[in-house]
Amino acid sequence: MAADASQLDRLFATIAARKGADAASSWTAKLLAGGAPVCARKLGEEAVETVIAATQGDAEATIAESADLLYHWLVLLAALEIDPADVYAELARREGRSGLDEKAARKPT
């Protein structure tokens, strides 16, 4: 099966459908029951695992950890009720713009 970005949208739909489900029935439901802080911490863990795999030059582990990272990113979006399309729109807005220029234009936090 060919892979493409629509897989993220299908995965997000599955994740969103599990919101409010019995936390004992699925990992996704358990994460979502914990709210955004739990989902964010798990995303952070997966990001670190991805970085470790990449810095070790382990392509296979980097692929697997990247898949985990994307899944947990989508879980966090669902917890926050953010549609991935909003993130895609932000990426589209930035397309063709220098990353250095985009970063310099951000408001200080």
Side-chain angles (χ1 to χ4, degrees):
M1 168 161 70
D4 61 38
S6 67
Q7 286 184 289
L8 290 176
D9 293 328
R10 290 191 304 274
L11 179 56
F12 183 76
T14 299
I15 290 166
R18 299 223 171 113
K19 207 170 194 183
D22 178 11
S25 69
S26 82
W27 175 245
T28 301
K30 182 176 180 176
L31 286 170
L32 290 169
V38 168
C39 297
R41 278 193 299 275
K42 188 60 184 168
L43 177 65
E45 290 172 21
E46 296 301 337
V48 169
E49 291 171 4
T50 303
V51 169
I52 291 168
T55 58
Q56 292 175 343
D58 186 338
E60 189 173 312
T62 301
I63 291 166
E65 295 299 343
S66 294
D68 290 347
L69 180 63
L70 288 172
Y71 161 77
H72 287 91
W73 171 67
L74 291 172
V75 171
L76 178 60
L77 292 185
L80 294 170
E81 298 187 8
I82 296 172
D83 189 322
D86 294 333
V87 178
Y88 306 156
E90 178 62 13
L91 288 171
R93 185 189 69 76
R94 295 178 185 189
E95 190 171 357
R97 185 173 187 187
S98 161
L100 295 174
D101 290 344
E102 193 282 325
K103 189 168 183 163
R106 291 183 195 170
K107 296 177 185 172
T109 54

